Amino acid sequence: VVWKDSVRLGCGINGQLLVCQYASPGNYDGMFSYQVLPPTVPESQCSGKLIATTPAPTPAPTPTPKPTPKPTPAPTPTPTPTPSSVPTPAPRPTPAGSACNDDAQYRDPTYGDSCSKWKSYRCTGYSFSTALIAACPVSCNVCSAPVPSPTPAPTPAPAPPQQQCTAKFQDCRSSKCCSDPGYNCFRKDSNWAGCMQSCTAGIHAEEPPEYRTPWSCNVLG
């Protein structure tokens, strides 16, 4: 057993099968550097050589800070952790009154429980207590549930100004629309556009000679 937190080991024989369990567990994703101590001999000294049978002294592990207990500590959990062996719930103190939120995606590494399932149990005394309290502050009684702030009513958008369209046979270059049903704003050139029911590109013979220039008949608007 190489996990640093494992201090208990129990084995049994079933026929020709040897089964062992150890606690506390340590083989969790992302915990290797914490649970497995570094090698005592550099890899460069192992190439083509036999390592001495007497291992180098193992450096003392850095002591883990003791978790802060709740007002009334709960009993120590049983050696083999299972969801059913979670310690007896301790009395919950009055919330501090600050606003915060639990992480809905969090699952603890030992029992696989979400934050809501820790509301009746103390969150200290485990190897994962720091991460548990950080992810589940409401369920661990380090703050109260947030009070939602009222959502202000949306401000209505101002009504768009009513567009003044042009009467039939008048210049509609500015408005680009016609007030009479069935009429469209047809462009002649940069100097004129008129509201008409139809338009044929080219010269309009009915116009006075001084205004008889080609119509493009592009519809504006």
Side-chain angles (χ1 to χ4, degrees):
V1 177
V2 297
W3 311 115
K4 187 171 68 175
D5 283 351
S6 300
V7 295
R8 295 181 178 90
L9 178 67
C11 299
I13 299 176
N14 184 2
Q16 296 183 353
L17 182 64
L18 174 64
V19 179
C20 294
Q21 289 186 336
Y22 56 92
S24 299
N27 53 336
Y28 298 128
D29 187 18
M31 298 291 290
F32 183 88
S33 59
Y34 170 78
Q35 291 287 3
V36 180
L37 297 176
T40 58
V41 178
E43 183 180 358
S44 60
Q45 297 181 14
C46 297
S47 176
K49 298 180 180 179
L50 294 177
I51 300 175
T53 56
T54 303
T58 303
T62 302
T64 303
K66 296 182 179 179
T68 303
K70 287 192 174 182
T72 303
T76 303
T78 55
T80 303
T82 60
S84 61
S85 64
V86 177
T88 304
R92 301 179 70 189
T94 303
S98 59
C100 53
N101 293 288
D102 283 351
D103 184 354
Q105 304 298 322
Y106 177 79
R107 298 294 184 273
D108 72 77
T110 298
Y111 308 112
D113 286 341
S114 61
C115 290
S116 61
K117 293 188 178 181
W118 280 92
K119 289 183 178 180
S120 300
Y121 304 96
R122 68 184 180 94
C123 299
T124 57
Y126 303 93
S127 61
F128 55 88
S129 290
T130 301
L132 173 62
I133 294 173
C136 309
V138 176
S139 298
C140 291
N141 287 325
V142 297
C143 63
S144 62
V147 178
S149 57
T151 303
T155 304
Q162 294 184 351
Q163 187 178 18
Q164 298 294 328
C165 293
T166 306
K168 57 184 177 181
F169 308 123
Q170 301 300 314
D171 187 358
C172 56
R173 285 177 297 169
S174 298
S175 67
K176 295 181 176 58
C177 64
C178 301
S179 58
D180 298 275
Y183 284 75
N184 292 314
C185 181
F186 293 98
R187 184 178 186 276
K188 180 180 184 179
D189 50 32
S190 60
N191 299 317
W192 184 262
C195 285
M196 302 183 295
Q197 290 180 310
S198 62
C199 180
T200 302
I203 298 294
H204 291 187
E206 67 274 11
E207 290 185 313
E210 61 270 23
Y211 301 121
R212 201 175 294 168
T213 56
W215 284 74
S216 67
C217 290
N218 295 327
V219 178
L220 303 181

